């Protein structure tokens, strides 16, 4: 793996068309950005050339992250690179940390909001579905039959998932106490179908017990 890293830095692997080969700092940062964020877009701010580097040198990134138990994938349609975390087996990494109940409910509501936007053709050409914190709170009430987190905690959870590339937060309307949200394609990475099935079953059991 170190040989492959050195081959990229030394330019032995062809660089992106019209661009120079990344140096050690840039290639290391691209790896670190993916580990931290999980979903990275062409327009993600503050990441330098990380998206471009990861997309162009996809075979290296696939090999590197497979050694850590992740699947590295490129979504050209969404201009996104991301790490897919296997749902089976015991894991000891930060990406697979168990979510708290309120975090699970918010992630479920975000995925449902995205699915609804796709179904109603409210998705932009960039793959974005717009909603608000009120929509998320209402979805938790109706879909999970549970009380949503209070506003401060909800914002904290949303920022957590924003750092992972699932959404962007707009500017809060202080009068209405509503924050606009832009749910990104990465929401389907953080909440894959198998996970959704498990959460729906869990929510149904909770409703039956209630």
């Amino acid at each position: 793996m170190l040989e492959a890293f050195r081959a990229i830095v030394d330019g032995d692997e062809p660089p992106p068309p019209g661009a120079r080969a990344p140096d050690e700092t840039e290639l290391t940062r691209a790896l670190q950005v993916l580990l931290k964020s999980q979903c990275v877009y062409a327009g993600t701010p503050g990441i330098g050339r990380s998206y471009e580097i990861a997309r162009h040198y996809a075979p290296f990134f696939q090999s590197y992250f497979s050694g850590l138990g992740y699947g590295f994938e490129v979504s050209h349609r969404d201009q996104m690179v991301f790490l897919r975390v296997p749902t089976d087996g015991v894991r000891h990494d930060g990406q697979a940390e168990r979510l708290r109940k309120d975090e699970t409910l918010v992630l479920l509501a975000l995925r449902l909001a995205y699915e609804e936007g796709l179904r109603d053709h409210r998705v932009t050409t960039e793959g974005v579905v717009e909603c608000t914190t009120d929509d998320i709170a209402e979805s938790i009430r109706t879909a999970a039959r549970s009380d949503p987190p209070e506003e401060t905690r909800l914002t904290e959870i949303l920022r957590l998932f924003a750092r992972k590339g699932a959404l962007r937060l707009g500017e809060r309307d202080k009068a209405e106490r509503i924050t606009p949200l832009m749910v990104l394609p990465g929401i389907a990475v953080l909440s894959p179908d198998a996970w959704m099935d498990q959460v729906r079953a869990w929510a149904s059991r909770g409703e039956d017990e209630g």
Side-chain angles (χ1 to χ4, degrees):
M1 190 56 63
L2 289 176
E3 291 181 1
F5 183 98
R6 180 53 56 187
I8 292 174
V9 170
D10 290 344
D12 297 334
E13 291 287 335
R20 58 174 174 78
D23 58 26
E24 288 187 24
T25 300
E26 289 175 317
L27 186 52
T28 299
R29 176 167 62 176
L31 294 166
Q32 292 174 343
V33 163
L34 268 160
L35 274 175
K36 177 183 178 182
S37 301
Q38 191 172 350
C39 300
V40 176
Y41 304 86
T44 300
I47 62 169
R49 299 170 60 206
S50 295
Y51 167 80
E52 172 195 351
I53 292 168
R55 184 186 65 174
H56 183 75
Y57 296 106
F60 166 76
F61 279 75
Q62 288 167 345
S63 296
Y64 179 90
F65 285 113
S66 68
L68 299 178
Y70 301 121
F72 171 82
E73 298 182 34
V74 178
S75 174
H76 296 285
R77 181 193 63 187
D78 299 318
Q79 292 190 297
M80 174 179 69
V81 293
F82 61 93
L83 299 180
R84 193 176 294 282
V85 181
T87 56
D88 56 339
V90 178
R91 302 188 60 85
H92 307 280
D93 55 305
Q95 297 289 12
E97 285 182 353
R98 187 176 183 88
L99 297 175
R100 298 178 180 178
K101 178 182 177 181
D102 57 357
E103 294 168 343
T104 299
L105 292 174
V106 171
L107 187 59
L108 171 66
L110 287 168
R111 176 65 189 272
L112 292 176
Y114 195 77
E115 289 181 352
E116 182 178 329
L118 291 176
R119 185 176 62 248
D120 296 342
H121 306 290
R122 292 187 289 103
V123 60
T124 70
T125 54
E126 292 80 24
V128 175
V129 170
E130 297 183 352
C131 63
T132 70
T133 46
D134 268 10
D135 296 326
I136 298 303
E138 183 59 27
S139 180
I140 291 173
R141 293 188 187 96
T142 56
R145 299 293 194 274
S146 183
D147 291 330
E150 50 87 21
E151 185 184 8
T152 301
R153 174 59 179 160
L154 176 58
T155 301
E156 178 184 338
I157 296 172
L158 291 170
R159 286 175 177 161
L160 165 66
F161 294 134
R163 290 193 294 271
K164 292 180 174 292
L167 72 145
R168 293 196 299 267
L169 283 78
E171 187 169 346
R172 179 177 180 267
D173 185 317
K174 295 181 180 179
E176 298 292 333
R177 299 182 66 181
I178 293 176
T179 301
L181 306 174
M182 289 143 281
V183 188
L184 306 175
I187 187 63
V189 177
L190 271 65
S191 55
D193 292 341
W195 180 88
M196 288 288 290
D197 291 342
Q198 293 172 1
V199 172
R200 285 186 171 115
W202 166 71
S204 296
R205 286 197 302 271
E207 185 178 346
D208 293 339
E209 292 171 0

